[in-house]
């Protein structure tokens, strides 16, 4: 198999869980490089549910986007928070 799609998940609550269910079904082509949430416990809980082992944890989306080697930023935050995160991802 070729290179996997590296994903940074911004947010670790409800929608992140839904997205992780999809990513868990295609581990051969996608890998979670990092998860960002202000609540580290939510990150650890999400990662544990899906058996993630090799990923970075961030509590600041700007730092996560700047430092994570990823192909995709999956914004799993409430809709009103998408704009700023999307702009930061586009700038990167």
């Amino acid at each position: 198999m070729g290179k996997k799609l590296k994903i940074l998940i911004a947010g670790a609550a409800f929608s992140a869980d839904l997205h992780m269910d999809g990513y868990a079904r295609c581990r051969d082509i996608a890998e979670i490089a990092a998860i960002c949430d202000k609540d580290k416990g939510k990150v650890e809980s999400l990662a544990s549910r899906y058996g993630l082992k090799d990923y970075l944890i961030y509590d600041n989306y700007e730092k996560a986007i700047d430092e994570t080697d990823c192909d995709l930023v999956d914004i799993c935050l409430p809709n009103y928070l998408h704009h700023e995160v999307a702009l930061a991802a586009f700038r990167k």
Side-chain angles (χ1 to χ4, degrees), residues 18-57:
L18 296 173
H19 291 210
M20 273 303 307
D21 182 61
Y23 296 135
R25 297 167 193 258
C26 57
R27 291 179 193 255
D28 58 326
I29 60 171
E31 71 178 86
I32 305 305
I35 303 173
C36 177
D37 196 285
K38 289 183 178 183
D39 184 341
K40 184 179 176 182
K42 287 182 182 178
V43 172
E44 292 168 346
S45 177
L46 179 69
S48 176
R49 271 195 305 284
Y50 291 96
L52 300 180
K53 302 223 186 286
D54 189 27
Y55 66 98
L56 300 171
I57 298 175

Side-chain angles (χ1 to χ4, degrees), residues 1-6 26-31 71:
M1 177 59 48
K3 181 184 171 207
K4 291 183 180 183
L5 182 71
K6 294 180 184 178
C26 57
R27 291 179 193 255
D28 58 326
I29 60 171
E31 71 178 86
D71 304 301

